[in-house]
Amino acid sequence: MSEKVLLIDDEKDFLEVMSERMQNRDIDVTTASSAREALALVEKESYDAIILDLQMPEMDGLQALERLKAINPELQVILLTGHATVEKGVQAMKLGATDVLEKPADIQTLTEKIHKAHARKIILVEKENEEKIRAILGSKAW
Amino acid sequence: MSTVAGTPSEQGIEFFGRMTASISHEIKNALAIVNENAGLLGDLALLMDKGRPLSPERLTTLAGNIRRQVQRADDIIRRLNRFAHSAHEPAASVDLGEVLAFTLALAERLATMKGITLSLAAGEPVTVEVRPFVLENLLWLCLEQLFAAAGSGATITLAAEAEGGSALVRLSCSAGTEVAAVATGVEEGAGRPLLAELRARLGVAPAGGELLLHLPVRRIG
C-alpha cells in the first residue's frame, strides 16, 4: 500500500520536483505552499506522514506543527529545514515532530522516514481500534 | 535583537549574524532544489533503463530549473560577499539610494517571513559620506521594528531625498502604523550608538505612518 503524504513548503519549485520524485517511489503526494493551505487539507483528509518546512512566510513551521497537532495529535510530522539549529530541533520534537531532516535531504533517508512514520501511524490506529473494541466489550452485558 | 544600547561594533556583530543566517538559509533552499532536480535526472535515467520513454524537452526543462537555481544562489552569494566587505569598509561617499536598495535586498527574505512587502521609491541621487555597514545596520533596526508595528500584509516603502544641506530617508507604511513608538524604540535601544556614529536623528512625519531618518551629507572629523 502506498503512503499518503502531505508536502508543505513555500518554494513552489521545490514542491514540484520533490513531489515528482516521491511519486516515482509510489508515494501518493499532495502539496501545499503555505501552512494555512495545509491546515485546511488536514481538516478534510488523512495523511500517513506530513513533510513540513520549518521556515515559511506568515506562519512558520513550529507554529504550523502546533496547529496540525491540535487538529490531530497522531499526525506524523517530519520537519524539513534549511535552518536546523539544535534548539529548533529540540523545540520541534517537544511539540511532537516525528523527525527533523536538514535540506538538502537525501531522498532515500526521507523515504525511509516516511515508511517509519506510516508504520507508527498504523500501530497508533490499531491501538486506538483495540481500545474502542475493549470499551464496547466492557459496556455490553453479554 | 537586543534592546539594550551597545557599541556600534556589538550591534554590528549582531546585525552581521542575523543577515548571514538568513542568507545561508536562502542558499540552502536553492541548493535543495538543485539537489532534487539532479536526483530527478537520476530517477528518470533509471526509469528510462526500465523502458519508460524520456523526451529531450523534459531534460531541457530540468536543466533550465538547475540553471535558474544556480543563478539564484550566485546572486545570493554576490550579495553576501558585498555585505561581508561592507563590514570593514571605511567611511566613503555613497549613493544613498544604492544603500537603501542593498539593505532592502538583505532584508527581503526576513520581511517575506513576516508577510511584509518592501519597496524602493525612485528619486534623485543623493550622496552621503558614511560607513555603509553602519547605515545598513541602522536601517535594518528601523525595518525590524516597523515589521512588528505594521504587521502582516503591510508594505514598507523606502525613499531617499535631499533635504537642504542634509539627506533624508523616508520609511513609509500605512497611516495607522505606530511609527512614533518605532522611532523611540530605535533611539532608546539598539539604534542609539549607530545614530550617534552617523550623527543622524529619527523623526516622524506629521501626517503619520512615516519614519524619517535625517542624515548629514558629510562626516566631521
Side-chain angles (χ1 to χ4, degrees):
Chain A
M1 193 173 76
S2 77
E3 283 91 356
K4 200 173 163 192
V5 168
L6 175 61
L7 179 63
I8 314 162
D9 200 299
D10 62 307
E11 295 263 357
K12 291 202 171 124
D13 286 347
F14 181 77
L15 282 182
E16 207 174 283
V17 66
M18 189 53 124
S19 59
E20 185 173 347
R21 295 200 75 199
M22 286 182 170
Q23 279 155 9
N24 287 340
R25 283 157 181 78
D26 287 328
I27 295 170
D28 174 9
V29 196
T30 304
T31 60
S33 59
S34 73
R36 274 178 219 292
E37 195 185 334
L39 289 167
L41 285 167
V42 167
E43 294 269 11
K44 292 184 291 187
E45 288 283 330
S46 165
Y47 297 95
D48 297 318
I50 292 175
I51 317 293
L52 172 65
D53 184 23
L54 188 62
Q55 290 223 338
M56 287 187 296
E58 295 191 58
M59 193 189 302
D60 74 21
L62 290 180
Q63 288 171 306
L65 173 63
E66 245 181 322
R67 298 272 297 270
L68 288 165
K69 284 283 184 179
I71 295 169
N72 181 358
E74 283 163 14
L75 283 175
Q76 302 296 307
V77 183
I78 300 165
L79 278 163
L80 197 57
T81 174
H83 206 61
T85 61
V86 174
E87 189 193 350
K88 289 267 184 190
V90 169
Q91 218 178 332
M93 297 308 269
K94 277 184 184 169
L95 288 170
T98 308
D99 227 313
V100 180
L101 264 181
E102 198 172 334
K103 275 184 186 175
D106 171 49
I107 191 85
Q108 191 59 36
T109 311
L110 182 61
T111 309
E112 279 164 17
K113 289 190 187 294
I114 291 168
H115 292 328
K116 278 184 190 163
H118 186 198
R120 210 171 293 135
K121 192 197 163 192
I122 290 172
I123 292 168
L124 286 170
V125 170
E126 279 175 356
K127 202 175 153 194
E128 197 184 322
N129 287 342
E130 210 177 290
E131 279 166 11
K132 274 183 195 164
I133 292 165
R134 271 209 200 102
I136 293 165
L137 289 174
S139 66
K140 300 280 181 192
W142 300 98
Chain B
M1 186 68 77
S2 168
T3 54
V4 180
T7 65
S9 61
E10 283 168 356
Q11 285 311 319
I13 290 165
E14 200 168 331
F15 172 54
F16 197 82
R18 189 77 191 274
M19 292 302 126
T20 50
S22 172
I23 289 168
S24 68
H25 188 99
E26 277 187 81
I27 296 169
K28 280 266 205 172
N29 277 337
L31 285 176
I33 299 170
V34 170
N35 185 54
E36 296 316 323
N37 275 287
L40 183 55
L41 282 171
D43 292 353
L44 293 175
L46 283 174
L47 289 167
M48 198 171 74
D49 228 20
K50 289 179 185 170
R52 195 209 266 187
L54 176 61
S55 71
E57 291 78 24
R58 188 84 181 93
L59 292 176
T60 309
T61 305
L62 292 178
N65 289 348
I66 293 173
R67 206 175 300 119
R68 215 170 43 245
Q69 292 303 324
V70 169
Q71 183 61 55
R72 175 189 175 191
D74 188 49
D75 289 344
I76 299 165
I77 291 167
R78 274 173 206 272
R79 202 188 315 141
L80 171 63
N81 186 269
R82 180 176 165 185
F83 181 58
H85 283 299
S86 80
H88 60 76
E89 273 169 8
S93 288
V94 293
D95 180 70
L96 187 53
E98 259 185 40
V99 177
L100 298 190
F102 184 62
T103 309
L104 289 194
L106 285 175
E108 193 176 10
R109 185 181 159 274
L110 293 164
T112 305
M113 289 293 134
K114 302 278 180 192
I116 287 169
T117 307
L118 297 176
S119 72
L120 181 67
E124 291 293 307
V126 185
T127 304
V128 288
E129 196 182 322
V130 290
R131 276 190 62 210
F133 184 79
V134 177
L135 180 54
E136 287 155 15
N137 191 352
L138 180 62
L139 287 166
W140 162 248
L141 290 178
C142 294
L143 284 173
E144 191 185 31
Q145 295 217 19
L146 283 173
F147 292 171
S152 180
T155 296
I156 301 172
T157 305
L158 271 66
E161 59 188 70
E163 186 190 44
S166 60
L168 175 67
V169 178
R170 292 181 186 273
L171 298 99
S172 315
C173 359
S174 58
T177 310
E178 290 290 334
V179 288
V182 170
T184 309
V186 174
E187 278 170 342
E188 294 179 0
R192 187 187 291 178
L194 305 172
L195 284 162
E197 178 166 345
L198 292 164
R199 293 185 304 106
R201 66 185 170 83
L202 282 173
V204 175
E210 207 167 59
L211 186 64
L212 305 174
L213 174 64
H214 304 271
L215 285 161
V217 172
R218 301 191 77 83
R219 283 167 70 93
I220 298 171

